[in-house]
């Protein structure tokens, strides 16, 4: 199925669910007002469901909108989910933010989602893009009086190269066929540069990576794991983190947030996509993901039964400080 067929199948599934009263709302994507700017959309009627779409630029993690749902069947909602989004949903179920009965997953295999900044960079930052169409393994990018064809593999989001689960891990409707589970990339390569550095080198690289942060908190707001009613950076009693642009405050924010996501992050890349400064947030989170996987043999969101290692305490836990 191509994107048009998938979009039509999503609209049909959403219309059916809403018409039958099986869900109150379907969360998916609609076309933005500019090319490559697909955005979250909430359909409450079969008519509104006709606005749903599907392209490679459907990049927001829609699991972010599932927390704080009303309890019981009245709060049932459907959500369009590719592999990483479905893993986030599983994580929210494990953390009791939503029950499995409250969410209807409309699964779609990820074809490797696309990075609009990479597209713009390749055609030239001075060019105005008026249309982008996906044609097999290529993108046809068009503007006033010009068009250019780009290989899809050159403009995929960074996390999609190293994705380990392109297909949804849970679904109630599956749109199209499942794909190969990965794109063949090695996620450990993202963390590898850190491991070549000594402690001082890591601190210097860490500071350099986040030196352009403006503390807009877009990375936090785009993350389905950041659902606390009051974020630690907003608390004043106690004040865990200064609120200035000073380097130490910036690094404290990112370090605490990264550890808050340890053993929970599904590497969906929402933080990087949301960052207006283009900061490579995954350089840190990928290292923590690797450490958790190697220490505990755990990858978040792949199943509903396993217990997240940092939320469990066992009598034979090897960490002496717990005893």
């Amino acid at each position: 199925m191509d994107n048009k067929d998938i979009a039509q199948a999503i609209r049909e599934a959403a219309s059916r669910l809403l018409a039958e009263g099986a869900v109150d709302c379907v969360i998916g994507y609609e076309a933005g007002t500019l090319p490559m700017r697909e955005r979250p959309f909430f359909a409450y009627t079969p008519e509104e469901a006709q606005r749903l779409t599907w392209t490679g630029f459907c990049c927001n993690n829609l699991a972010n909108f599932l927390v704080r749902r009303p309890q019981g069947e009245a709060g049932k909602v459907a959500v369009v989910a590719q592999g990483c989004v479905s893993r986030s949903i599983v994580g929210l179920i494990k953390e009791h933010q939503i029950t499995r009965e409250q969410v209807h997953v409309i699964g779609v295999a990820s074809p490797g989602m696309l990075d609009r900044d990479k597209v713009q960079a390749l055609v030239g930052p001075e060019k105005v893009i008026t249309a982008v169409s996906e044609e097999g393994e290529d993108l046809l990018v068009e503007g006033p009086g010009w068009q250019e064809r780009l290989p899809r593999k050159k403009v995929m989001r960074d996390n999609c190269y190293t994705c380990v689960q392109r297909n949804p891990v849970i679904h109630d409707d599956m749109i199209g066929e499942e794909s190969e589970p990965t794109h063949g990339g090695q996620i450990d390569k993202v963390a590898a540069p850190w491991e070549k550095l000594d402690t001082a080198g890591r601190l210097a690289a860490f500071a350099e990576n986040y030196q352009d942060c403006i503390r807009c908190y877009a990375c936090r707001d785009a993350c389905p794991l950041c659902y606390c009613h009051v974020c630690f950076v907003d608390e004043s009693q106690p004040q865990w983190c200064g609120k200035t642009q000073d380097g130490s405050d910036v690094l404290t924010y990112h370090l605490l947030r990264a550890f808050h996501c340890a053993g929970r992050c599904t590497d969906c890349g929402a933080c990087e996509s949301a960052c207006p400064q283009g900061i490579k947030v995954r350089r840190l989170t990928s290292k923590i993901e690797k450490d958790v996987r190697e220490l505990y043999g755990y990858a978040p969101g792949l199943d509903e039964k396993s217990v997240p290692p940092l939320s469990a305490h066992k009598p034979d836990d090897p960490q002496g400080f717990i005893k």
Side-chain angles (χ1 to χ4, degrees), residues 12-257:
E12 291 174 359
S15 297
R16 171 177 51 80
L17 291 168
L18 291 166
E20 294 174 350
V23 300
D24 296 336
C25 173
V26 177
I27 307 174
Y29 304 91
E30 71 168 352
T33 54
L34 295 172
M36 306 184 289
R37 294 277 182 173
E38 276 70 348
R39 58 194 182 190
F41 178 70
F42 297 73
Y44 293 93
T45 67
E47 292 74 23
E48 289 178 342
Q50 302 312 305
R51 291 170 59 179
L52 293 167
T53 191
W54 177 259
T55 76
F57 297 100
C58 295
C59 295
N60 296 74
N61 190 328
L62 300 182
N64 200 23
F65 303 104
L66 293 178
V67 297
R68 303 190 190 97
R69 298 292 304 171
Q71 295 298 309
E73 287 299 311
K76 191 161 186 175
V77 62
V79 61
V80 176
Q82 52 273 54
C84 55
V85 176
S86 71
R87 291 179 64 185
S88 297
I89 294 171
V90 169
L92 293 175
I93 292 172
K94 286 183 175 182
E95 295 177 7
H96 307 292
Q97 296 304 306
I98 191 169
T99 65
R100 180 66 180 94
E101 293 72 28
Q102 283 183 289
V103 60
H104 184 105
V105 179
I106 302 175
V108 186
S110 168
M113 312 312 284
L114 302 170
D115 186 330
R116 62 173 179 266
D117 292 334
K118 290 183 179 179
V119 175
Q120 186 71 66
L122 279 180
V123 300
E126 75 286 355
K127 288 186 176 180
V128 175
I129 298 174
T130 57
V132 177
S133 53
E134 298 170 54
E135 300 180 356
E137 296 303 313
D138 290 338
L139 266 66
L140 181 62
V141 188
E142 300 178 80
W146 64 272
Q147 62 176 225
E148 190 168 340
R149 192 171 291 275
L150 302 177
R152 185 185 190 93
K153 283 191 174 181
K154 282 192 173 183
V155 293
M156 289 198 322
R157 300 169 75 209
D158 288 347
N159 64 303
C160 288
Y161 291 112
T162 56
C163 172
V164 298
Q165 186 63 43
R166 297 170 62 190
N167 299 304
V169 294
I170 56 172
H171 61 80
D172 300 289
D173 284 308
M174 183 67 196
I175 306 299
E177 298 180 353
E178 294 193 353
S179 63
E180 293 292 324
T182 77
H183 284 287
Q186 283 291 331
I187 191 171
D188 290 351
K189 289 185 177 179
V190 184
W194 294 102
E195 298 173 335
K196 296 177 181 177
L197 303 171
D198 58 17
T199 302
R202 288 187 183 188
L203 179 59
F206 179 48
E208 181 181 5
N209 193 54
Y210 291 97
Q211 63 182 348
D212 294 328
C213 175
I214 58 175
R215 294 193 67 174
C216 65
Y217 302 133
C219 53
R220 176 195 67 181
D221 295 344
C223 178
L225 303 179
C226 286
Y227 52 72
C228 296
H229 289 279
V230 180
C231 178
F232 72 92
V233 296
D234 297 324
E235 287 190 335
S236 56
Q237 290 183 341
Q239 182 170 310
W240 300 100
C241 177
K243 301 179 187 306
T244 74
Q245 284 292 106
D246 183 81
S248 61
D249 287 341
V250 171
L251 297 187
T252 299
Y253 160 63
H254 284 289
L255 196 60
L256 288 179
R257 200 185 90 80

